[in-house]
């Protein structure tokens, strides 16, 4: 089981600052994933910054969302500024 996301903030340059329910925080760089599938829809910076917490993960108005295990495994835990 992976920790749930409690908050997400766009830090610019397709980087998300994330806080987990276990007290950890970190940064998730989404640039490597933006040319694949549903993530192409969030390449527009205005859409990307609309990231929000939905249940225990992150989603966008386009229907794109991330699995909690993907977020936790790819997040640079302990970092808070890009």
């Amino acid at each position: 089981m992976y920790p749930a996301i409690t908050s997400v903030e766009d830090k610019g340059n397709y980087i998300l600052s994330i806080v987990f329910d276990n007290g950890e925080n970190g940064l998730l760089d989404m640039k490597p994933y933006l040319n694949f599938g549903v993530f192409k829809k969030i390449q527009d910076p205005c859409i990307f910054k609309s990231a929000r917490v939905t249940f225990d993960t992150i989603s966008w108005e386009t229907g794109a969302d991330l699995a909690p295990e993907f977020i936790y495994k790819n997040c640079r835990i302990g970092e808070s500024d890009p």
Side-chain angles (χ1 to χ4, degrees), residues 2 8 13 22-24 37 40 42 44 55 68 75 79 81:
Y2 291 91
V8 61
N13 199 27
N22 65 359
E24 293 180 308
K40 290 180 181 181
I42 61 172
D44 179 322
F55 300 107
C75 198
E79 294 186 33
D81 287 313

Side-chain angles (χ1 to χ4, degrees), residues 21-34:
D21 68 353
N22 65 359
E24 293 180 308
N25 66 340
L27 298 175
L28 178 62
D29 185 351
M30 288 295 296
K31 288 185 294 295
Y33 311 103
L34 294 176

Side-chain angles (χ1 to χ4, degrees), residues 3-56:
I5 289 79
T6 59
S7 72
V8 61
E9 179 184 356
D10 173 37
K11 300 302 273 184
N13 199 27
Y14 301 102
I15 295 174
L16 298 172
S17 175
I18 299 168
V19 178
F20 297 94
D21 68 353
N22 65 359
E24 293 180 308
N25 66 340
L27 298 175
L28 178 62
D29 185 351
M30 288 295 296
K31 288 185 294 295
Y33 311 103
L34 294 176
N35 288 318
F36 299 98
V38 70
F39 299 115
K40 290 180 181 181
K41 296 179 181 179
I42 61 172
Q43 288 177 342
D44 179 322
C46 291
I47 293 172
F48 186 83
K49 69 181 175 183
S50 73
R52 62 186 182 270
V53 176
T54 306
F55 300 107
D56 61 350

